[in-house]
Amino acid sequence: MNSKRDYLNVTIIIEGRFEFEVVCSVPLSGQAIVRIFNVLGKEVVRLLDEQMSPGVYRISWDGENQEGRIVPSGIYLARMLLSREAATIKLFVLK
């Protein structure tokens, strides 16, 4: 299997006020889950939970929680799980 670095080429693109885009490269088919957590470890929103084929994907987060409300300023963690591999990146939300 490829190393974490091979598929977790994660780039964050900030588009506008609350738009984060995570770009990730998936080398092998598998279940992919992308979730956003606050610094206390509570899940804020689940962005993706599906079977993925190899390729490059763009996953956007508009800064809203699961209830559709804009999250407060702070540090958030985007966590990607692919099969048994995982990676976490920090996101900073400032209003």
Side-chain angles (χ1 to χ4, degrees), residues 16-32:
R17 191 170 171 192
F18 289 110
E19 190 73 22
F20 292 92
E21 187 173 80
V22 179
V23 179
C24 52
S25 176
V26 177
L28 302 171
S29 295
Q31 185 71 20

Side-chain angles (χ1 to χ4, degrees), residues 1-10 24-35 48-57 59 79-88:
M1 181 171 183
N2 294 338
S3 72
K4 288 182 186 181
R5 291 182 184 179
D6 289 340
Y7 80 85
L8 292 170
N9 296 324
V10 179
C24 52
S25 176
V26 177
L28 302 171
S29 295
Q31 185 71 20
I33 300 171
V34 178
R35 299 180 292 174
L48 178 71
D49 187 352
E50 62 186 63
Q51 188 72 21
M52 304 291 280
S53 299
V56 176
Y57 296 90
I59 303 154
R79 181 137 175 101
M80 178 182 180
L81 301 172
L82 178 63
S83 298
R84 295 183 180 174
E85 300 292 331
T88 303

Side-chain angles (χ1 to χ4, degrees), residues 47-70:
L47 301 177
L48 178 71
D49 187 352
E50 62 186 63
Q51 188 72 21
M52 304 291 280
S53 299
V56 176
Y57 296 90
R58 294 174 178 267
I59 303 154
S60 295
W61 179 43
D62 57 7
E64 292 182 357
N65 63 19
Q66 204 66 42
E67 292 79 34
R69 292 185 223 121
I70 297 293

